[in-house]
Amino acid sequence: MASFPSADRLALLTNFGHSIGSVAYVYRPTHAEQIAELYRSAAGTGFTVGMRGAGRSYGDASLNGGHVALDLQRMNRILDWNPGTGVIRVEPGVTIGQLWAYTLEDGWWPPVVPGTMFPTLGGCLAMNIHGKNNYVAGPIGEHVAQFTALLPTGEEVACSPTQNADLFHSLIGGLGVLGVFTSITLQLKHIYSGNLKGYAWASPNLRQMMDEMESLKADSDYLVGWVDGTWGGSGLGRGQVHRAHYFAPGEDPSPAQSLRVEAQVLPDTFFGLVPKSILWQFMRFFMNTPGAWLTNTAKYVHARTLDHRHHFLQSLVAFNFLLDYVPNWEKSYGRGGLIQYQSFIPRAAAAEAFADLLKLTQRRGLPTYLGVLKRHRPDKFLLSHAVDGFSLAMDFKVTGGNRPALQRLTDDMSRIVLDAGGRFYFAKDSTLTREVVAESLGPDTLARFCAMKARCDPQSLLQTELYRRVFGSI
Amino acid sequence: MNFSSPLTPTPVAIVVGASSGIGEAVARKLAHEGYAVALVARRADRLRALCAELNARPGAAHAVAYPHDVTHFDEIPALFQTILRDLGRLNVMVYASGIMLPSGFSEYNFGKDRATLEVNVLGAMAWLGQAATYFEQAGEGHLVGISSVAGDRGRVSNPAYHTSKAALSTYLESLRNRLTRKGVHVLTVKPGYVDTDLLKAVARPFWVVSPEQAAADIWRAMRRGKQQIYTLSRWGLVMWVVRHMPSFIFRRLRF
């Protein structure tokens, strides 16, 4: 019998930001039976199995160094599509990009999408991702009608909000350590145009941006704030609010045209001249603190000058997948890559806590080069990152020398977040300790998650580096 | 606090031949520098004692003992995987196992010759090959082989030992030429006389250094990305002369 794991499957896997990586034995199944076979091979060997989709998590969520990584990207078939009801059944390796391209012409759009279209739906469910409409649409899990999952016990379970509801609310957001999704049934959103009505305007500081988002949230389909993390004083957290509305039925005079996939494709040049595929190479020169100050300031001045309080048309893809606008943008951070730190803080405490975070990063000489503010609402999933409040996501450049300082900074930031009653999001995390996670989740949630882990995976076969870091081997 | 975070992961080393001599000293040095160390050697009792000692230091990353005889070649792939599984990653691989069996000037003993080659060469190939496969994927890492000044020329004293060290030096050079382009650093260490068990077989040693001194030199060379070091460094000069000595003189010498 061939040895397990097979040595020729060693491969380096990295995070989205290319700042963290490890070498694992990578298996790429095409069918659920192969996963069951792998579970059997791994059982009792001491090797754990970690799930990986497109590797778009910012931290170590899809890494499993020295162990087995199960890359699900080849399980990418669309199993069933009903253009009448907008219900689609897919395998876990289907990406967000694959999904919308398949359903758009029929007038359906994924109700919740992240800032990039490359993640797989298996990964999206395991992290219970959110979009710029979290305060109204909730996380993606709320749009899952049903899924089937293969537990490490060998049991195949079908779950929906009413059937096996406890498993449903645990596996979604369960970091892929309770079981693997084998099929996912999603209810898509009916749309009447391939465009959104977009609005964008400058906001002079963080507090005002939050007030504006708060007052507009009842009347906006999407809301997101870009935050300049390099500016201090009375302009702390200045930036730009982006708001968008879907078109109502009949509002778009020619929906058939805007609903074509070709109408959604991001332009491949800037100003019709500079090929975007090489743009990241030029962005490298600005990925330092003076460069970030310059670009952030230029962007803010631009936002102040071109005030788009009146709507303009923007394609669904252009609005939602900002991160895909510049291909390989993450490489512009250089060899050290980047990490993101996103915290979620209840509304009453958010303005003060985020101001403290921004000031701390500036004081330490490690300002964020990109800050993003979003509005959220709570949900019913077991490991939930959402609160009735705001989140601030901050990108930090990682260099050969700043890693310890960055760790100390984020440790101190986590203290501020915990004191404000905040939470964290595991798809973005690469710095939290077990103690911080335990405190933010609370003993009750932690105990329920441990109980669910023991039930679904009594041998603790499914693990990732993230799981071992924040939960330990239960 | 000794928290290994993704941003500041604890580096990991495997030291084969860690129960005594240079291997033991290198293992101590690496542990002292904050490495988690997998200690591999045949003598389980000495290995466990070293392991306990390293783990007793406050704030130390941990050491783990893996008793193993390097001539049990079939065990090596699985043991390598076990270490990787336990420690999660690998940054430094040191092969320090080596034997020098005393040999008379007219002795031709195939049993001894084979044992020497098995430990000094085949074991090294088996272990370094595993690590090379890993480092090639990782795109980084340090491979360190403890060869010897003895490998620079075939001298009269101990043909098998000289052959084994020449083979190891050449093997390391090949690995270096393969792996430098993959981002992997390969260091060939050529000690002179070091105060270890091997020295018992030497009649009149001179310029003897402690294993700790050798380990410190190896650590420095590793950090600086050197391809090869002699320890003591003056051996470099001596061996240059020895390497260039014409055969008609060299074959008349008795060292």
Side-chain angles (χ1 to χ4, degrees):
Chain A
M1 190 194 137
S3 67
F4 179 86
S6 172
D8 56 8
R9 297 199 158 272
L10 275 180
L12 176 69
L13 301 177
T14 61
N15 63 343
F16 187 22
H18 306 299
S19 53
I20 301 164
S22 62
V23 177
Y25 301 94
V26 184
Y27 285 78
R28 297 189 171 85
T30 53
H31 287 88
E33 296 84 73
Q34 291 168 309
I35 300 174
E37 173 71 36
L38 195 87
Y39 281 170
R40 286 193 292 273
S41 303
T45 63
F47 286 93
T48 67
V49 178
M51 299 302 162
R52 181 174 170 97
R56 245 62 187 185
S57 284
Y58 282 76
D60 50 359
S62 70
L63 305 182
N64 200 17
H67 292 252
V68 174
L70 199 57
D71 177 341
L72 294 166
Q73 290 181 103
R74 290 206 300 166
M75 288 181 63
N76 62 354
R77 285 159 288 239
I78 290 168
L79 302 171
D80 188 37
W81 167 232
N82 184 336
T85 60
V87 174
I88 192 161
R89 197 161 66 88
V90 299
E91 287 189 328
V94 168
T95 65
I96 296 281
Q98 203 183 336
L99 180 68
W100 73 254
Y102 196 83
T103 62
L104 186 74
E105 291 209 1
D106 293 328
W108 298 89
W109 178 257
V112 170
V113 295
T116 161
M117 66 170 96
F118 298 112
T120 63
L121 283 157
C124 287
L125 257 63
M127 288 297 163
N128 205 9
I129 58 107
H130 63 261
K132 305 171 191 22
N133 54 0
N134 187 246
Y135 59 94
V136 42
I140 196 167
E142 293 190 12
H143 306 275
V144 175
Q146 200 203 30
F147 66 74
T148 55
L150 183 62
L151 306 183
T153 53
E155 189 186 352
E156 177 138 28
V157 289
C159 305
S160 76
T162 51
Q163 180 189 11
N164 290 321
D166 54 342
L167 284 172
F168 181 85
H169 290 99
S170 305
L171 263 79
I172 294 177
L175 313 179
V177 297
L178 301 176
V180 59
F181 301 112
T182 47
S183 76
I184 297 163
T185 308
L186 281 170
Q187 172 64 59
L188 303 189
K189 180 176 175 57
H190 208 345
I191 50 169
Y192 304 94
S193 169
N195 291 320
L196 291 169
K197 287 177 283 185
Y199 313 79
W201 63 94
S203 204
N205 57 53
L206 190 69
R207 195 170 287 270
Q208 184 168 335
M209 190 186 292
M210 291 169 85
D211 289 344
E212 285 174 350
M213 285 171 72
E214 194 57 34
S215 65
L216 287 168
K217 81 178 171 69
D219 185 36
S220 308
D221 290 326
Y222 293 96
L223 266 180
V224 61
W226 159 74
V227 174
D228 176 357
T230 64
W231 200 260
S234 60
L236 185 77
R238 69 182 189 179
Q240 188 179 26
V241 181
H242 295 265
R243 176 184 178 216
H245 279 153
Y246 291 114
F247 277 75
E251 231 182 326
D252 184 344
S254 51
Q257 280 183 17
S258 63
L259 287 170
R260 285 186 197 159
V261 173
E262 304 89 274
Q264 296 289 329
V265 172
L266 297 168
D268 53 9
T269 55
F270 260 111
F271 314 117
L273 200 64
V274 185
K276 288 210 309 199
S277 56
I278 61 162
L279 194 68
W280 68 269
Q281 311 235 28
F282 298 98
M283 285 165 58
R284 280 191 301 186
F285 303 114
F286 295 95
M287 287 301 182
N288 45 56
T289 302
W293 179 86
L294 196 71
T295 45
N296 276 282
T297 300
K299 185 167 159 59
Y300 181 72
V301 171
H302 177 259
R304 283 284 298 259
T305 319
L306 299 174
D307 194 294
H308 286 298
R309 271 174 213 276
H310 300 288
H311 79 77
F312 58 97
L313 286 187
Q314 207 171 4
S315 77
L316 280 158
V317 163
F319 181 83
N320 278 296
F321 305 125
L322 271 179
L323 293 182
D324 302 335
Y325 226 89
V326 179
N328 297 321
W329 63 272
E330 71 277 7
K331 289 187 187 163
S332 67
Y333 277 84
R335 283 175 60 89
L338 78 147
I339 60 161
Q340 190 176 91
Y341 183 92
Q342 187 175 15
S343 53
F344 297 70
I345 296 183
R347 187 159 59 95
E352 198 177 329
F354 288 150
D356 287 347
L357 294 183
L358 286 171
K359 278 186 266 187
L360 185 64
T361 61
Q362 292 169 4
R363 221 168 33 240
R364 298 280 176 92
L366 292 165
T368 172
Y369 293 177
L370 174 68
V372 174
L373 184 74
K374 287 192 287 252
R375 184 69 171 89
H376 300 272
R377 68 153 166 80
D379 55 60
K380 291 195 294 185
F381 296 91
L382 179 55
L383 290 188
S384 173
H385 53 275
V387 296
D388 184 9
F390 290 87
S391 79
L392 180 62
M394 297 186 254
D395 287 5
F396 294 101
K397 179 176 179 162
V398 179
T399 66
N402 79 354
R403 287 170 169 257
L406 206 49
Q407 182 66 46
R408 280 196 298 278
L409 170 68
T410 53
D411 285 345
D412 294 342
M413 285 162 67
S414 296
R415 193 64 257 163
I416 294 173
V417 173
L418 287 176
D419 289 345
R423 290 192 183 186
F424 304 96
Y425 178 26
F426 293 117
K428 303 290 180 71
D429 170 52
S430 46
T431 65
L432 300 180
T433 61
R434 208 168 295 172
E435 295 74 25
V436 170
V437 168
E439 192 176 337
S440 78
L441 290 176
D444 180 47
T445 301
L446 201 58
R448 282 171 61 202
F449 182 68
C450 292
M452 190 53 83
K453 176 74 175 166
R455 173 179 156 195
C456 295
D457 183 14
Q459 297 184 331
S460 208
L461 188 69
L462 302 187
Q463 295 189 17
T464 59
E465 289 179 29
L466 168 73
Y467 175 76
R468 286 191 287 275
R469 171 166 60 89
V470 302
F471 293 111
S473 307
I474 296 173
Chain B
M1 192 177 74
N2 191 16
F3 170 59
S4 175
S5 79
L7 278 179
T8 54
T10 302
V12 174
I14 297 178
V15 180
V16 180
S19 61
S20 65
I22 298 177
E24 181 186 351
V26 168
R28 277 181 209 279
K29 178 70 181 166
L30 289 168
H32 183 74
E33 294 291 341
Y35 278 72
V37 189
L39 307 167
V40 181
R42 187 166 42 91
R43 289 167 290 187
D45 48 339
R46 295 182 66 159
L47 208 55
R48 295 221 167 82
L50 174 64
C51 197
E53 180 204 316
L54 292 180
N55 286 327
R57 282 203 357 262
H62 64 297
V64 191
Y66 299 91
H68 158 77
D69 182 334
V70 294
T71 61
H72 296 174
F73 308 120
D74 295 345
E75 295 173 11
I76 291 171
L79 181 54
F80 182 81
Q81 287 192 325
T82 302
I83 294 171
L84 215 51
R85 183 195 74 191
D86 294 350
L87 298 178
R89 62 178 64 239
L90 181 63
N91 304 87
V92 173
M93 169 83 212
V94 182
Y95 190 84
S97 289
I99 57 171
M100 182 167 67
L101 302 172
S103 170
F105 271 62
S106 302
E107 182 180 0
Y108 300 92
N109 183 327
F110 180 70
K112 282 187 182 179
D113 292 354
R114 181 155 96 174
T116 303
L117 271 284
E118 282 184 350
V119 174
N120 295 7
V121 182
L122 296 182
M125 287 177 165
W127 274 102
L128 294 173
Q130 291 291 322
T133 308
Y134 176 92
F135 287 151
E136 194 169 304
Q137 291 300 323
E140 61 180 18
H142 299 275
L143 281 174
V144 181
I146 312 297
S147 184
S148 168
V149 293
D152 281 11
R153 259 337 254 279
R155 309 203 305 263
V156 292
S157 55
N158 196 331
Y161 186 72
H162 289 271
T163 303
S164 73
K165 291 303 182 181
L168 180 56
S169 295
T170 304
Y171 182 69
L172 289 166
E173 185 184 14
S174 275
L175 289 188
R176 178 178 305 116
N177 294 342
R178 275 191 174 190
L179 295 171
T180 301
R181 71 196 73 185
K182 303 276 173 61
V184 183
H185 169 230
V186 180
L187 172 64
T188 307
V189 182
K190 295 183 173 178
Y193 295 118
V194 182
D195 191 9
T196 67
D197 294 345
L198 268 66
L199 206 65
K200 291 171 189 158
V202 178
R204 289 183 303 279
F206 54 96
W207 296 348
V208 178
V209 297
S210 66
E212 290 70 33
Q213 174 67 50
D217 287 350
I218 292 166
W219 170 254
R220 197 170 334 105
M222 206 183 84
R223 294 299 300 261
R224 292 180 182 174
K226 291 267 179 69
Q227 301 189 13
Q228 167 177 296
I229 55 154
Y230 288 92
T231 172
L232 298 166
S233 57
R234 70 186 74 150
W235 280 105
L237 205 63
V238 174
M239 294 321 290
W240 185 89
V241 175
V242 171
R243 277 201 313 278
H244 290 83
M245 192 178 289
S247 178
F248 72 87
I249 301 175
F250 200 51
R251 63 181 181 251
R252 286 174 167 79
L253 299 180
R254 292 198 48 88
F255 82 95

